Every structure is written in C-alpha cells, then in structure tokens.
C-alpha cells in the first residue's frame, strides 16, 4: 500500500458529512439515566475552565448536575463525621453561568418533564467543543416551540464563554420571557458518595447590574479566599440585529438575574445571546475581579464572531494534536473524543496557570479534582505536541517543593516526598477514610503510601527533557526537582547487610488492593518491585545528571540542594545493589507475594458478575484483598510499560540480576490472570506491554480503554468526571506502542507493532523543536519534516533498525516489506 495522505487533516476545510460524524458526539432523545454521563462528555472547556453539558434550564437534582470549574481552584472544608473532624479539599463548583429559562404566560415552560418532546438532539462538535441542543416541544397549552441552543467556552479568549438561543414559536404568537441568571447558590454535590461531607465552598459577596445589559456576581471561596466573579451580558437579536427589550432585574447576594420580555411572532426566530466572563483573584492582571469581569464581558464579541475566533484556535490545535488511525472508524472517533477532552482540560491556556493534571479532568467532582500520578499517562501526549503545557504542569510540582520537603522531613526522610493526592498547597490530600458503597461502611484509606508518585514525577521531568531538549528547564528547575526526588528515595532505601542489597519497606505500588500484609497493624509492603526497580533507574540517572549541565549551573544546583559527593556515591551504589523480589522465575509484585493465597476468580465472577472492584467486594464480605494474589491494576507490569526491554535489561544487568528475553511476556502472562483492572488505567498498561508480542490482544485492551468513558464501563463513574489518564493513555498507545515511537540517545526510534484491526496511523509530533509528521502503514513508514519553526534542525531517526537523517522540510520513507 502506498501512502497518499501523510498528515493530519485540515479540520477547517473538511465539510463532508462522514467527517462531521467522525468529529461529533451525538445523542438523540432524552434519557434521564444517561443524562449525567452525557453532561460530562459534552462539557465545554478550554484548559482554564470547563462547564458540564447540562441544559441551561436544569438545576442540580438526581438527573442533572450543572457544574463549572476553574483549573486549579480549590477550597478546603471540614466535616464532623461521628464527632471526628474530616478535612477535604475540593475543586470548587463555581457559580452557574448557564441559566436561561423560558416562560410563557408567567409559567416556566421548558422543563422537559412537563412538555411533550417532539424532537431532541444533543451534540458536541469535537472540532471546537461546541455544544448544540436542538429541540422541538409542545407545552400544556398546545404551543409548539423550537429551540436551538449553542454554547462554547472560548479557546481563543480563555475567560469567556458564550451561549446562544434561537427560539421560534411554531404555531403561536405572543409574549414570552427569557430569564438569564448567574447562580451562586451552588455547592459541591456532584458525587453521591461525598454527600455526607461538607460541600459548601463559596461565600456570597454581592451582585450588581453595572450596565443595563450586564449583570455580575462576586463570590469568595470560604477557606482559600479566592475571589471569583462572573459577569454576563444578555442581548436579544432579531434578524441578526440587536434589539432593545424591556428587562426586569432581580438580585440577592448569591444570585442575579435579568428577565427579558419578548414579543414572539409565529414562525419568526429570535436570538438571545449570553456572553460570560469569569475571573478569579488567581488570575494575573486582575485587581477587583468583578470590575475585571464586567469590563471584559461588556467588550466581548458577538456570538458569531467569538465562535469564528474560537474555531480558529481549535483548528490550530487539531493540526498539532490530531491522531489518525486508518481502518477502524470507531477507534478513530473515540480517539478524537479523547483528544477533545484532554485539550479541554489541558490546553495552551493552561500554560500560564498554576495547575496540575487533575485525574478526573475539570468537568466533574470525582476525586475532588485532585492531582495523582496520572500525569504519567497524560504528559507523553502533551509533550510531543504542546511541550509548553507539559512544562507548566511540571512547574505545578516544582512550586510545591517546600511542602514535598516538609512532608519528607515529617516522615523522617530527606529530599522531596510528593503527596499521593495533591491540590492547592501540595500537601497530602488523600482522605483518611472512604466510603465503600457496597457495605455502606467508612473504611480506613491507606493509599497515601503510594510513594511511587514521586518516582513518576522524576520520570516525567526526564521524558520532557529528552523529548524537548529544554536544557533551560533542566538547569533552572528540572535538575533540582529530579535530584531532590533521588535524595528522597535514597533516604527511604536502607541497606540490608544480610542481603547485601538495598531495600524499601512501608510503601504501596500502583496496585491499591494490597495496602499491607494480612493481619499487619502497619500499612505498606516490603520491596514493591515496581518501586525498587524504578528507584534503581532513578539513582542511575540522578548520579550522572549534573554531568549534563555546564559547570557553573551544576554548581548552582549542588549549592541549592547542599548536595554532597557521598550522596551521589550512594545513588550509584543503589543503582547497582537494589533488591528485587522474584518467585517462579518472574518478578514478584512485592516481597511475600508468593505466600499469598490464590483467589477463586471463577467463583467470584459467578457470584458477582463484575469483579473489577474486588476490594469493595472482599471488604464487604469481611475479607480483605491483602490476603490474595490479585491486583487492582498493573503494578510490576508497569515496569515494561515505562522502560521497555532494552532499558530494563540495562537496569537488571547493573543490579546483577538476569533479565531473560521472555521476561516481559512471562510477567504479563502471570499477572494478566490475576488482575481485575479495577482502574481503567490498567488496560492502558496491559495494552502497551502486549503490543510487542500480541498486538491483537493488546488491541482488545485498547478497545476497552477506548470505550471506557463513552460507555461508562465502571457504571456511573464518568458522570463524575472524565478519566484523563485513560483518555490520554489511549492516544499515547497509538504513538508509543502501535507506531512504536520513542526518543532515546538523541534519536527518534520507530518500531511499529500495528494490530491487525488497523491499516496504519499518522500523527504530528514535535521532537527537539522540529515538527514531524509520522505515518506508519503495514509496509512503509514515512517521516516528514514540516517546516514552520525558526530553529528547526535535521532529525536523526531509526526505523526498524535503519538510521537516517531527515532534513528540514524533507521526507524519509522506510519500506517494511
Ligand atoms: C487508581 C489510581 C489513580 C486514581 C486517579 C485510582 O482508581 O487506582 O492509580 O491514580 O484512580 O485516577
């Protein structure tokens, strides 16, 4: 097969309807059971803020949940649970800017439950995250009305969101009212499991009508004292021209609204435009947030002009970020759903914020908007396309070094110990207890022992630097971050003179089902293989890191960390003498894993059907997963996912252990049978590891991950927010595992493993500041060096063992025949 099309499509110029379908997430009809999920999946975000796809007229209830969130904006609250103070920090649900309500004859006519729906279509145009609702309904008086609602959160102008209604009375004429509001009476109430915990985060400050068309509301978060102001300008247009209509204003300190009095004529459409500006006291160039929001919204563009500007920004993003797979339309479509949501959460607008990668995006309240280790799965997508965004997300960690240092010290360690769940301050935000919905009981939560998050941060910085060669970042922040983490691990490891090796005790791996040894009083395990091997790798990189810097910069980093030569010597020693547990010729998940009991998987499947959440099942039975050879998600297997065979062989050889050629295959065979995939991240890891020796079974896992959010396979979790790690992980599988791309030794390597289900893949990456289009088909790989950057340089590539230089503006073809 020869390649005719070697680049992401120009989304702006594609108007064919099949392409529209590939870029649309569509729902027909109303289904109350599905509405929460649709609201999440059709949310509109721009990396600065996001709003759920709730209909404008709905309030929070068991079906709907309007929520608006700003990236990185948290508040802490305390609940007395049985007299015990429980502290939680939440991504704050901000004032709802959506409300538009239709009243006819003094009665609210647009409650879907009260009208007869003649037509209802709900769409998200993925090209630009534009939400459209198209509906026709008949009210109790027999009046038929058509409403087309469109909205977006501007990618081009990050503080702005726009909403437009086009109303047509189909068989009636007469007076009607549209109520436009900003509602500050909101709480965090989106996750039923958290409802016993305090959800009030906002204090009302006041409401104003600074201009006849503009209303504004100011609130302040109760503990973090962030001022948030939302202003809205509502206008009426007839035949495209603004018209004056009578308005009545109403406000309380936490709610503001304007009622527009319209005279509607049968068959004549009228448009209502609501433009919104949101500013917080965390924003630069902002004094009084209300003044800023008011001024900004008063100057905002018309809906159409703002939409064109917004589409143009998205179009450029797709040029950089689209990933094409040929031969599987469903996979293509879902990848685009994922890319759209990743960019709605982390976009160039995020690059100026102090915000991390929230595991569940910014369109729901699951995990309280906290930042876990999931960026490990997200950054590879961003680094290859929007490296400035990755840098900013790494800066979120760097800015929290003081807390990481204090946490290490409080635990009797040195260096930087990052929290398992991070929010505003960078302190540990993991809850102390969590509710098991199966038993209704609050269980102790030991997951904060997942110290591997600090290893992931080290890895992320290193990947960013190898991919971008951003030596400035390495010099000014990266090296300090990495070496402080190495110092932490060195202080956690202790030398066992019996084994003559280093050991790590008291931590948990990514598999959260093993919190401690059966019957043990203390949490944590001995020698979790994922952690130990990772630390051996970290110590090796760290020991040589300063050699990469010019002497004065290396000295500055040393001085800042007060680094001693003995420390570096100890890192070298750890990289050669870390202990790794084995049993039956494979790496044990942790020391003592072999002594655990085998679970009767068939019996549990027969009894419960879905056994992904074996932790809840076993605990509800009065048992504990700690007793069994099982895993929530990939743990030891993650090593193959992160490092690949060559790197693992180097690590193991340095450690004096054997690493047989079939080690990865044997590991995945063993653990695959014992993993419940209770976190969908696990499908990503298993798919990645299987790609090399069983691409088709890898594709099966990939497909599960791909469908997991859109199909809500965990039964209700996606309505509480997307899964960022899985969404980005699927896209990363295409580039790093199916195209087999990795940056190493100053070269871009490609070792394709295309599954039988697809004919090929194509995407654009930025490698060492040069934009490249990579196309991998069954019989050929094409790498095109696209011009467009000032300091582009030729790029060295190695495809299936052959090395070549791709000239600036040039193209290299590699036959795979
Ligand atoms: C997973 C973690 C993950 C977290 C947030 C949990 O279910 O086990 O690995 O970091 O979700 O996505």
């Amino acid at each position: 097969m020869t390649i005719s099309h070697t680049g992401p499509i120009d989304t702006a110029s594609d108007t064919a309807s099949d392409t529209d379908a590939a870029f649309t997430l569509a729902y027909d009809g109303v289904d109350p059971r599905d509405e929460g999920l649709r609201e999440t999946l059709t949310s509109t975000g721009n990396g600065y803020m996001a709003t759920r796809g709730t209909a404008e007229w709905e309030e929070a209830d068991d079906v709907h949940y309007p929520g608006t969130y700003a990236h990185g904006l948290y508040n802490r609250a305390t609940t007395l649970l049985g007299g015990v103070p429980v502290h939680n920090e939440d991504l704050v649900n901000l004032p709802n800017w959506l409300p538009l309500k239709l009243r006819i004859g003094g009665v609210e006519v647009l409650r879907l439950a009260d009208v007869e729906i003649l037509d209802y279509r709900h769409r998200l145009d993925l090209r630009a995250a534009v939400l459209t609702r198209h509906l026709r309904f008949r009210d109790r008086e027999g009046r038929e009305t058509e409403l087309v609602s469109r909205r977006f959160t501007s990618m081009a102008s990050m503080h702005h969101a726009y909403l437009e209604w086009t109303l047509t009375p189909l068989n009636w004429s007469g007076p009607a009212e549209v109520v436009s509001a900003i509602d500050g009476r909101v709480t965090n109430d989106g996750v039923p499991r958290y409802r016993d915990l305090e959800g009030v985060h906002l204090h009302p400050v006041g409401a104003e009508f600074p201009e006849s068309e503009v209303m504004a509301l100011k609130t302040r978060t109760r503990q973090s004292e962030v001022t948030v102001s939302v202003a809205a300008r509502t206008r009426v247009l007839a035949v495209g021209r603004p018209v004056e209509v009578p308005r009545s204003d109403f406000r309380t300190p936490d709610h503001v609204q304007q009622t527009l009095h319209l005279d509607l004529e049968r068959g004549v459409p009228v448009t209502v435009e609501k433009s919104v500006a949101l500013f917080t006291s965390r924003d630069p160039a902002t004094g009084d947030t209300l003044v800023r929001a008011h001024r900004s919204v008063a100057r905002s563009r018309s809906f159409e002009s703002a939409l064109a500007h917004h589409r143009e920004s998205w179009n450029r993003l797709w040029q950089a970020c689209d990933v094409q797979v040929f031969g599987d339309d469903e996979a293509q479509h879902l990848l685009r759903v994922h890319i759209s949501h990743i960019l709605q959460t982390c976009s160039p607008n995020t690059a100026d914020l102090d915000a991390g990668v929230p595991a569940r995006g910014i369109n729901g309240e699951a995990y309280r908007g906290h930042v876990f280790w999931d960026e490990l799965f997200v950054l590879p997508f961003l680094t290859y396309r929007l490296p400035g965004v990755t840098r900013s997300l790494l800066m979120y960690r760097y800015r929290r070094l003081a807390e990481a240092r204090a946490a290490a010290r409080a635990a009797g360690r040195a260096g930087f110990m990052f929290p398992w769940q991070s929010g505003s301050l960078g302190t540990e935000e993991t809850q102390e207890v969590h509710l098991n919905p199966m038993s209704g009981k609050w269980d102790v939560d030991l997951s904060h022992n997942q110290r591997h998050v600090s290893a992931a941060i080290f890895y992320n910085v290193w990947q960013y630097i190898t991919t971008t060669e951003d030596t400035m970042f390495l010099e000014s922040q990266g090296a300090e971050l990495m070496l402080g983490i190495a110092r932490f691990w060195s202080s956690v490891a202790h030398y066992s003179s019996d084994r003559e090796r280093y050991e790590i005790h008291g931590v948990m791996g990514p598999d959260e089902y093993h919190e401690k040894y059966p019957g043990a009083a203390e949490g944590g395990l001995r020698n979790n293989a994922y952690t130990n091997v990772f630390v051996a790798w970290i110590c090796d990189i760290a020991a040589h890191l300063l050699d990469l810097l010019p002497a004065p910069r290396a000295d500055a980093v040393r001085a800042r960390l007060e680094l001693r030569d003995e420390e570096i010597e100890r890192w070298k020693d750890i990289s050669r003498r870390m202990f790794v547990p084995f049993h039956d010729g494979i790496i044990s998940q942790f020391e003592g894993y072999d002594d655990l009991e085998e679970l009767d998987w068939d019996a549990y499947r027969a009894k419960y059907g879905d056994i992904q959440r074996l932790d809840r099942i076993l605990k509800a039975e009065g048992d504990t997963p700690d007793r069994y050879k099982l895993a929530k998600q990939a743990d030891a297997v993650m090593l193959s996912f992160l490092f690949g065979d060559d790197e693992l062989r180097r690590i193991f050889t340095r450690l004096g252990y054997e690493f047989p050629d079939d080690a990865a295959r044997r590991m995945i065979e063993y653990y695959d049978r014992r993993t419940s995939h209770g976190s969908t991240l696990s499908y990503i890891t298993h798919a990645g590891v299987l790609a090399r020796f069983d691409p088709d079974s890898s594709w099966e896992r990939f497909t599960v991950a791909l469908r997991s959010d859109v199909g809500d396979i965990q039964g209700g979790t996606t309505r509480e927010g997307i899964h960022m790690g899985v969404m980005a992980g699927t896209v990363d599988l295409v580039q790093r595992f199916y195209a087999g791309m990795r940056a190493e030794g100053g070269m871009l390597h490609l070792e394709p493993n295309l599954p039988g289900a697809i004919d090929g893949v194509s995407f654009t990456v930025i490698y060492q500041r040069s934009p490249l289009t990579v196309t991998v088909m069954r019989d050929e790989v094409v790498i095109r060096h696209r011009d467009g950057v000032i300091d582009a340089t030729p790029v060295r590539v190695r495809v299936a063992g052959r090395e070549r230089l791709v000239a600036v503006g040039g193209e290299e073809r590699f036959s795979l025949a």
Side-chain angles (χ1 to χ4, degrees):
M1 181 181 219
T2 45
I3 300 158
S4 52
H5 185 0
T6 57
I9 51 171
D10 177 347
T11 56
S13 62
D14 257 302
T15 49
S17 59
D18 60 340
T19 315
D20 283 346
F23 276 98
T24 307
L25 189 63
Y27 301 99
D28 290 329
V30 188
D31 180 355
R33 285 164 312 169
D34 220 23
E35 195 58 23
L37 173 65
R38 296 179 186 183
E39 287 179 353
T40 297
L41 294 171
T42 61
S43 58
T44 56
N46 64 5
Y48 169 78
M49 60 176 170
T51 297
R52 292 170 59 78
T54 315
E56 294 84 35
W57 53 88
E58 299 295 351
E59 316 230 335
D61 57 23
D62 289 340
V63 176
H64 305 284
Y65 191 71
T68 289
Y69 310 89
H71 203 155
L73 203 169
Y74 297 96
N75 185 67
R76 193 179 300 278
T78 303
T79 312
L80 286 174
L81 212 62
V84 180
V86 174
H87 310 285
N88 280 299
E89 187 172 66
D90 285 80
L91 181 73
V92 181
N93 182 17
L94 299 178
N96 181 14
W97 60 271
L98 295 177
L100 278 187
K101 298 187 179 188
L102 176 64
R103 297 165 68 88
I104 307 177
V107 180
E108 192 177 331
V109 290
L110 230 182
R111 300 217 47 118
L112 293 188
D114 298 343
V115 295
E116 187 186 343
I117 297 169
L118 306 172
D119 185 19
Y120 186 95
R121 279 169 282 152
H122 179 176
R123 304 268 182 275
L124 184 73
D125 169 4
L126 302 170
R127 281 193 182 90
V130 177
L131 183 166
T132 308
R133 268 195 182 77
H134 196 121
L135 81 142
R136 245 174 351 104
F137 59 92
R138 187 181 295 128
D139 64 30
R140 292 207 169 140
E141 312 297 322
R143 287 174 296 227
E144 288 179 20
T145 309
E146 183 186 71
L147 168 66
V148 180
S149 157
R150 297 194 291 165
R151 81 164 82 126
F152 61 92
T153 304
S154 177
M155 191 55 89
S157 176
M158 68 187 191
H159 296 279
H160 291 118
Y162 294 82
L163 176 52
E164 180 205 67
W165 265 19
T166 304
L167 272 171
T168 315
L170 298 176
N171 64 354
W172 60 280
S173 298
E177 294 164 355
V178 172
V179 183
S180 173
I182 305 170
D183 189 1
R185 300 166 304 178
V186 295
T187 60
N188 275 54
D189 196 36
V191 178
R193 293 184 300 295
Y194 303 164
R195 285 194 183 139
D196 286 347
L197 303 167
E198 182 59 65
V200 180
H201 293 292
L202 294 175
H203 256 316
V205 178
E208 282 181 23
F209 294 95
E211 291 180 35
S212 65
E213 290 183 340
V214 177
M215 58 189 164
L217 185 79
K218 186 174 188 173
T219 56
R220 185 176 305 118
T221 56
R222 282 155 59 117
Q223 171 271 338
S224 53
E225 297 189 336
V226 180
T227 309
V228 181
S229 293
V230 184
R233 183 186 69 192
T234 319
R235 300 197 303 181
V236 179
L237 292 93
V239 211
R241 300 234 161 136
V243 289
E244 290 291 324
V245 295
R247 292 165 187 256
S248 23
D249 298 343
F250 174 77
R251 64 178 157 155
T252 61
D254 53 9
H255 181 91
V256 59
Q257 69 175 46
Q258 284 198 314
T259 304
L260 314 178
H261 303 271
L262 312 175
D263 239 328
L264 299 183
E265 208 179 307
R266 178 186 176 139
V268 180
V270 164
T271 301
V272 178
E273 265 189 20
K274 183 173 182 181
S275 41
V276 170
L278 186 149
F279 283 85
T280 84
S281 51
R282 301 177 81 231
D283 295 324
T286 301
D288 183 325
T289 53
L290 187 130
V291 172
R292 185 83 169 91
H294 153 220
R295 290 170 68 92
S296 179
V297 86
R299 292 195 290 245
S300 62
R301 298 173 178 233
S302 69
F303 185 91
E304 283 305 339
S305 155
L307 178 58
H309 197 205
H310 164 77
R311 278 197 189 283
E312 206 272 324
S313 291
W314 265 103
N315 192 41
R316 268 180 291 119
L317 273 181
W318 279 109
Q319 298 275 348
C321 299
D322 195 19
V323 171
Q324 289 180 281
V325 294
F326 306 116
D328 187 325
D329 292 346
E330 187 200 8
Q332 177 67 83
H333 179 240
L334 293 175
L335 282 170
R336 286 185 174 140
V337 172
H338 290 186
I339 294 169
S340 162
H341 275 290
I342 302 161
L343 296 173
Q344 286 190 43
T345 310
C346 292
S347 77
N349 292 322
T350 317
D352 254 358
L353 306 179
D354 175 28
V357 179
R360 302 299 292 279
I362 50 172
N363 57 11
E365 294 167 9
Y367 285 134
R368 306 177 181 285
H370 292 170
V371 178
F372 296 62
W373 71 318
D374 303 48
E375 63 210 44
L376 184 64
F377 295 85
V378 177
L379 298 186
F381 169 77
L382 292 173
T383 307
Y384 275 114
R385 296 168 176 82
L386 305 169
V389 178
T390 297
R391 187 187 221 265
S392 155
L393 296 165
L394 296 174
M395 282 302 291
Y396 165 84
R397 298 298 193 174
Y398 183 79
R399 293 191 192 100
R400 285 156 182 77
L401 283 191
E403 284 304 330
R405 184 184 283 116
R409 205 165 291 159
R413 310 291 183 209
F416 309 143
M417 179 172 96
F418 285 92
W420 172 237
Q421 295 189 30
S422 183
S424 62
L425 278 173
T427 45
E428 182 58 79
E429 300 301 337
T430 305
Q431 59 282 30
E432 291 125 41
V433 288
H434 68 228
L435 184 67
N436 180 350
M438 281 195 75
S439 62
K441 276 187 14 201
W442 290 88
D443 293 325
V444 173
D445 191 327
L446 295 174
S447 60
H448 63 266
N449 282 322
Q450 288 184 78
R451 303 292 176 223
H452 63 86
V453 60
S454 294
I457 295 168
F458 183 104
Y459 182 92
N460 294 337
V461 176
W462 183 240
Q463 293 302 320
Y464 169 74
I465 286 165
T466 21
T467 310
T468 60
E469 303 209 325
D470 182 353
T471 46
M472 292 279 280
F473 180 73
L474 180 66
E475 286 179 29
S476 34
Q477 289 99 9
E480 187 184 348
L481 199 44
M482 290 170 75
L483 298 182
I485 291 173
R487 173 183 272 169
F488 164 68
W489 284 114
S490 167
S491 76
V492 177
H494 68 270
Y495 185 71
S496 149
S497 32
D498 289 350
R499 281 195 164 123
E500 297 187 338
R501 282 191 178 268
Y502 290 88
E503 299 192 32
I504 293 177
H505 292 185
V507 300
M508 272 168 76
D511 164 26
E512 297 172 340
Y513 286 176
H514 288 102
E515 296 176 319
K516 54 189 172 83
Y517 288 98
E522 293 277 298
L525 305 158
R526 292 190 305 278
N527 297 314
N528 167 256
Y530 172 73
T531 309
N532 286 22
V533 175
F534 210 146
V535 169
W537 175 80
I538 286 176
C539 285
D540 177 57
I541 303 274
H544 302 102
L545 192 69
L546 289 177
D547 303 342
L548 301 177
L549 297 184
R553 290 307 309 163
D555 289 347
V557 175
R558 262 175 191 276
R560 220 172 138 70
L561 285 167
E562 296 171 288
L563 199 64
R564 289 166 287 112
D565 287 346
E566 309 88 83
E567 288 189 79
I568 299 183
E569 285 313 307
R570 184 175 155 97
W571 297 345
K572 287 186 185 156
D573 205 32
I574 295 176
S575 77
R576 290 189 215 106
R577 291 207 280 167
M578 176 61 84
F579 172 71
V580 181
F582 295 88
H583 71 277
D584 302 341
I586 58 148
I587 300 170
S588 304
Q589 191 176 306
F590 51 83
E591 189 177 353
Y593 179 91
D594 190 29
D595 302 331
L596 303 180
E597 294 169 43
E598 292 283 3
L599 183 85
D600 187 346
W601 291 81
D602 290 340
Y604 274 87
R605 277 196 192 101
K607 186 164 173 197
Y608 292 96
D610 177 0
I611 57 164
Q612 283 188 336
R613 294 306 303 257
L614 267 173
D615 57 334
R616 292 178 177 166
I617 292 174
L618 289 165
K619 285 181 182 172
E621 284 184 346
D623 202 345
T624 164
D626 292 331
R627 285 179 51 202
Y628 302 99
K629 286 186 175 123
L630 51 77
K632 175 184 190 184
Q633 65 199 64
D635 191 301
V637 169
M638 274 294 291
L639 290 170
S640 298
F641 180 77
L642 293 182
F643 298 110
D645 270 2
D646 293 349
E647 185 71 62
L648 280 180
R649 187 165 298 109
R650 282 194 286 272
I651 301 172
F652 277 80
T653 308
R654 203 163 37 234
L655 289 172
Y657 291 116
E658 254 184 81
F659 189 80
D661 287 346
D662 62 350
R665 183 199 290 264
R666 282 169 55 195
M667 269 226 299
I668 190 130
E669 270 171 17
Y670 180 89
Y671 287 108
D672 209 30
R673 281 181 275 134
R674 293 172 176 83
T675 302
S676 77
H677 304 293
S679 163
T680 39
L681 286 175
S682 189
Y683 292 109
I684 300 290
T685 308
H686 280 234
V689 176
L690 284 167
R692 272 182 303 138
F693 25 81
D694 191 351
D696 294 332
S697 120
S698 160
W699 187 256
E700 276 170 36
R701 318 300 160 101
F702 170 79
T703 311
V704 177
L706 207 51
R707 294 179 183 154
S708 60
D709 264 336
V710 168
D712 193 16
I713 63 163
Q714 289 182 309
T717 60
T718 304
R719 64 171 54 223
E720 300 166 352
I722 53 159
H723 295 78
M724 273 293 277
V726 175
M727 285 196 162
T730 55
V731 191
D732 184 36
L733 281 173
V734 173
Q735 65 177 7
R736 286 203 301 158
F737 293 89
Y738 299 144
M741 179 180 77
R742 87 193 130 88
E744 197 187 289
M747 226 189 302
L748 198 65
H749 300 247
L750 281 137
E751 282 163 34
N753 304 291
L754 286 184
I758 51 172
D759 302 328
V761 303
S762 181
F763 49 83
T764 294
V765 293
I766 300 176
Y767 174 61
Q768 296 180 347
R769 292 183 300 281
S770 295
L772 307 173
T773 299
V774 176
T775 303
V776 175
M777 305 302 283
R778 289 222 165 271
D779 51 4
E780 192 178 28
V781 170
V782 182
I783 302 179
R784 190 149 58 91
H785 197 310
R786 291 148 44 108
D787 37 17
V789 284
I790 293 168
D791 52 354
T793 50
V795 169
R796 189 156 287 285
V797 297
R798 189 182 165 92
V799 178
R802 276 161 290 157
E803 212 177 296
R804 287 193 209 153
L805 201 64
V806 190
V808 177
E811 179 180 282
E812 290 295 326
R813 289 178 174 252
F814 296 83
S815 163
L816 299 180

